[in-house]
Amino acid sequence: MSQNLSVKHLFSFLEAGVSPFHTVIHARKQLEDAGFVALDMKTPWDLTPGGAYYCQTFSGELFAFRLGKDLDLSNGIRIAAGHVDWPCLKIKPAPTFTKKGYIQANVEVYGGPILNTFFDRPLSLAGKIAVKSGDILHPQIRYVDLKEPVCIIPNLAIHMNHQVNEGVAIDKQTHLMPVLGMVEDTLNKNDLLLEYIARHENIALDDLLDYELYLYNMDAPAHVGLHGEFISSPRLDDTTAVSAIIHGLIAGCPKNTVSLAALFDNEEVGSQTKQGADASTLNFVLEKIWASFGKSSVECYSDISDSMILSIDVGHGYHPNYPATFDITSFPVLGKGFVIKTDSNQRYAWDCEATGAMIQLCRHFNIPFQRFAKRSNMAGGGTIASLISSHIPLKTVDIGVPLLAMHSSRELMGAADQEALEQAVAAFMLL
């Protein structure tokens, strides 16, 4: 089935981004292929109007920006932000244990996944490992993707669990432990997974110091529907935003402003980490850009005071089987455009000025959009928008593609919505 360019971009990210770190690596490659130049956060920057640059402090975050050819910093900045993590299972420090000859992985829940959707699926492992080096405080970091279905979490048969279709509680400590294989008593059972990873990376087991490893669903993204109008895939939340932000930034150079993409980690667990949106790294990046042109931090925040932020994260699409869970008027459907989200309690950051600006942009460029508000008697999710705008007090609007099955190990979206989102980001970056 043919794909538009925005969907091709998305599929490329979904296939490569098997951990937050791999998502950042793939984003960096897209930028490098487009001519973006890497910057060192530890040194002063020598920037040129018309230039394109990227930088990062930690492996789960990335900042990239373009400078207008006729740059006038007093015209401010356009910021588009998203996150690279998703709800999943992670490997604990002591990774394996055995029961009756089965070897299993010891895992913990990251974020808020729909747990039963991780059962009975081929799962692999990806992330990063710290390896012994000659510099005690700087171990070597390697990025790992086993690329094989090394484990699975099997369901209990219905014959032994007759209430399973009525909803059964899942014990996170006992029911989610994946099966890795069968072992003989003579094998080193406690280190079997680490030995596998060490062999995969061609290192000595004793040189493997630590790791951050994610279990990921190996299913490939696919078009679904009579006319292929849907996309079903793992990690749509928030890879849809990452793809739109990176390719929206690449699409063109602004005339006289700064356009900046910000990707953060740990949104699914609250963002209060050094690589999360609640850190001050974005402020530091902005100050370094302005300092490269001889301007102070005070001048920086004065110049950007009338600027705008797009916080991009997925929204809830109308589910035809559960109509009572949606607002009576503000409910987006798949395939009819991306979503502008509002919440009077500021779980989604918004004000009518920023939202009005986004609506004007969409109408001017003929980009389809929809509105979303949560049902008044239900709690909704949150995004990084309020966190970012509390550190950098600019007009902010929350947008994203609508999903079904959000936080499942495989989610569903409308294919046309990705094109609308990428168009909106590109148009915003060029204004």
Side-chain angles (χ1 to χ4, degrees):
M1 178 173 293
S2 62
Q3 297 177 344
N4 65 45
L5 190 58
S6 298
V7 171
K8 288 182 179 179
H9 291 158
L10 176 59
F11 273 45
S12 175
F13 263 101
L14 291 168
E15 291 164 354
V18 292
S19 80
F21 318 123
H22 288 82
T23 298
V24 170
I25 291 169
H26 188 69
R28 203 170 61 214
K29 182 179 186 305
Q30 305 306 299
L31 295 168
E32 290 170 350
D33 289 347
F36 281 65
V37 177
L39 298 171
D40 188 341
M41 292 289 284
K42 295 190 295 183
T43 61
W45 293 348
D46 182 15
L47 307 178
T48 304
Y53 307 92
Y54 75 88
C55 61
Q56 64 181 117
T57 301
F58 303 105
S59 51
E61 69 177 5
L62 182 69
F63 304 95
F65 57 93
R66 303 191 73 148
L67 306 177
K69 295 178 181 178
D70 301 320
L71 180 65
D72 180 350
L73 290 175
S74 66
N75 289 321
I77 192 167
R78 313 286 181 261
I79 299 174
H83 66 90
V84 298
D85 60 321
W86 61 88
C88 63
L89 304 174
K90 295 184 70 174
I91 301 293
K92 286 185 178 180
T96 55
F97 62 98
T98 60
K99 284 184 183 177
K100 302 295 184 182
Y102 292 93
I103 187 159
Q104 295 181 262
N106 191 10
V107 302
E108 60 184 339
V109 176
Y110 176 88
I114 303 176
L115 294 175
N116 60 19
T117 66
F118 286 83
F119 285 73
D120 303 324
R121 295 182 183 271
L123 303 172
S124 191
L125 287 173
K128 65 180 178 181
I129 60 174
V131 180
K132 180 181 177 182
S133 72
D135 184 342
I136 290 178
L137 294 182
H138 295 89
Q140 179 190 359
I141 299 299
R142 295 193 186 187
Y143 298 96
V144 176
D145 179 9
L146 297 185
K147 297 183 179 180
E148 294 180 339
V150 295
C151 58
I152 194 166
I153 307 171
N155 251 306
L156 181 63
I158 193 170
H159 312 82
M160 302 173 183
N161 187 11
H162 293 291
Q163 289 76 42
V164 64
N165 291 324
E166 300 171 17
V168 175
I170 296 171
D171 188 308
K172 295 177 182 178
Q173 183 60 57
T174 59
H175 297 157
L176 291 176
M177 302 298 128
V179 174
L180 291 165
M182 305 297 292
V183 296
E184 301 292 337
D185 289 338
T186 56
L187 295 179
N188 187 354
K189 294 171 285 190
N190 293 330
D191 287 335
L192 188 61
L193 178 58
L194 297 184
E195 287 175 349
Y196 187 97
I197 293 169
R199 287 196 304 272
H200 186 272
E201 293 300 303
N202 195 28
I203 60 173
L205 178 60
D206 287 345
D207 289 343
L208 203 171
L209 304 173
D210 198 17
Y211 50 82
E212 291 181 51
L213 294 173
Y214 298 75
L215 272 69
Y216 72 89
N217 182 345
M218 293 195 70
D219 292 349
H223 283 275
V224 176
L226 294 177
H227 306 289
E229 58 264 62
F230 305 120
I231 294 171
S232 172
S233 178
R235 303 179 291 279
L236 292 177
D237 176 6
D238 192 27
T239 308
T240 52
V242 173
S243 180
I245 290 169
I246 293 300
H247 288 286
L249 180 66
I250 289 172
C253 184
K255 181 180 179 181
N256 56 20
T257 59
V258 180
S259 296
L260 185 143
L263 304 180
F264 298 100
D265 199 356
N266 300 142
E267 188 275 344
E268 300 293 353
V269 293
S271 296
Q272 292 182 318
T273 63
K274 64 185 184 303
Q275 61 271 8
D278 203 22
S280 58
T281 314
L282 177 55
N283 299 67
F284 185 36
V285 170
L286 296 181
E287 291 173 14
K288 286 181 72 69
I289 294 172
W290 260 250
S292 72
F293 293 98
K295 288 202 165 190
S296 68
S297 59
V298 171
E299 290 174 303
C300 169
Y301 294 116
S302 295
D303 285 343
I304 70 173
S305 59
D306 192 34
S307 298
M308 188 167 163
I309 301 171
L310 293 187
S311 170
I312 309 177
D313 203 346
V314 293
H316 295 286
Y318 182 83
H319 197 310
N321 295 345
Y322 302 91
T325 60
F326 294 89
D327 184 62
I328 56 177
T329 60
S330 301
F331 50 87
V333 296
L334 305 192
K336 300 299 182 182
F338 74 91
V339 174
I340 300 174
K341 297 179 277 186
T342 59
D343 180 358
S344 294
N345 296 306
Q346 294 294 324
R347 293 282 287 168
Y348 303 128
W350 74 284
D351 58 57
C352 66
E353 184 177 358
T355 301
M358 196 66 204
I359 291 172
Q360 282 198 133
L361 180 149
C362 292
R363 289 178 177 174
H364 180 80
F365 291 100
N366 197 29
I367 301 170
F369 70 93
Q370 306 177 79
R371 300 295 298 272
F372 172 81
K374 66 179 179 64
R375 191 174 176 88
S376 297
N377 59 357
M378 296 184 69
T383 69
I384 61 176
S386 293
L387 296 174
I388 297 175
S389 59
S390 68
H391 288 284
I392 306 172
L394 306 179
K395 296 188 298 291
T396 305
V397 62
D398 246 313
I399 68 172
V401 299
L403 292 188
L404 298 185
M406 187 188 298
H407 287 195
S408 170
S409 75
R410 191 176 182 105
E411 299 162 318
L412 187 71
M413 66 175 288
D417 298 332
Q418 186 66 22
E419 182 176 13
L421 182 65
E422 189 172 313
Q423 288 175 347
V425 175
F428 171 76
M429 292 292 204
L430 291 173
L431 286 177

